[in-house]
């Protein structure tokens, strides 16, 4: 098991993503590149959401950055509940820097069966310690 957001976790996610192949993403998710700055105690972890996966580090092509904490990101990855995501945004638990229109396109997007399968696999090897 890999601890969420550690180097080994990112390596496993990358490996699983390659094994999964085409995730058959809806266009809104397929074209999305968003940077993430994740507050984790006194540390900020930088990552990006590209090609339906979370990758370590920032992506220079992103025009939008989400500022959120570890718990909110965990919930997003675990549940991918768009209502919960919007609620966190409305309550100030997710802040946006840059082009917010990228996020508006996601409101109606639903993960593909392939993406759900991949996320279930990632979740099964993830510990939140």
């Amino acid at each position: 098991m890999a601890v969420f957001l550690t180097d080994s976790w990112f390596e496993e996610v990358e490996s699983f993503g390659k094994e999964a192949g085409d995730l058959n993403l809806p266009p809104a998710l397929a074209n999305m590149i968003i940077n993430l700055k994740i507050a984790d105690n006194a540390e900020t972890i930088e990552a990006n959401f590209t090609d339906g996966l979370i990758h370590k580090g920032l992506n220079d092509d992103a025009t939008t950055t989400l500022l959120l904490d570890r718990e909110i990101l965990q919930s997003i990855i675990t549940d991918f509940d768009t209502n919960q995501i919007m609620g966190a945004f409305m309550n100030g638990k997710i802040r946006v820097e840059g082009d917010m229109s990228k996020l508006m396109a996601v409101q109606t997007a639903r993960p593909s069966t392939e993406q759900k399968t991949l996320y279930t696999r990632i979740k099964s090897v993830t510990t939140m310690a």
Side-chain angles (χ1 to χ4, degrees):
M1 302 267 303
V3 176
F4 185 54
L5 299 178
T6 62
D7 288 344
S8 60
W9 183 82
F10 280 110
E11 289 169 10
E12 285 210 47
V13 169
E14 194 75 29
S15 175
F16 289 172
K18 287 177 184 173
E19 290 173 18
D22 183 9
L23 295 178
N24 193 29
L25 299 171
L29 292 177
N31 299 320
M32 179 181 288
I33 301 172
I34 294 181
N35 281 331
L36 307 169
K37 292 186 179 178
I38 306 135
D40 187 26
N41 296 318
E43 175 183 16
T44 298
I45 299 168
E46 295 180 335
N48 70 84
F49 181 84
T50 307
D51 301 323
L53 282 174
I54 294 179
H55 306 273
K56 185 174 181 172
L58 300 179
N59 186 318
D60 291 337
D61 293 329
T63 58
T64 307
T65 299
L66 296 183
L67 302 134
L68 66 167
D69 67 26
R70 178 188 181 107
E71 183 179 314
I72 295 295
L73 180 59
Q74 174 188 335
S75 177
I76 291 170
I77 291 171
T78 302
D79 304 327
F80 207 86
D81 179 346
T82 54
N83 292 327
Q84 181 180 21
I85 295 166
M86 289 308 294
F89 173 74
M90 298 302 282
N91 289 321
K93 294 182 178 182
I94 299 174
R95 295 181 323 233
V96 180
E97 293 178 346
D99 184 1
M100 187 181 271
S101 67
K102 301 284 184 187
L103 299 176
M104 295 300 120
V106 174
Q107 284 183 318
T108 58
R110 298 293 177 251
S112 65
T113 300
E114 294 85 351
Q115 189 178 25
K116 286 180 185 177
T117 300
L118 173 60
Y119 276 42
T120 298
R121 184 174 180 203
I122 292 168
K123 183 179 171 185
S124 75
V125 300
T126 300
T127 183
M128 298 302 167

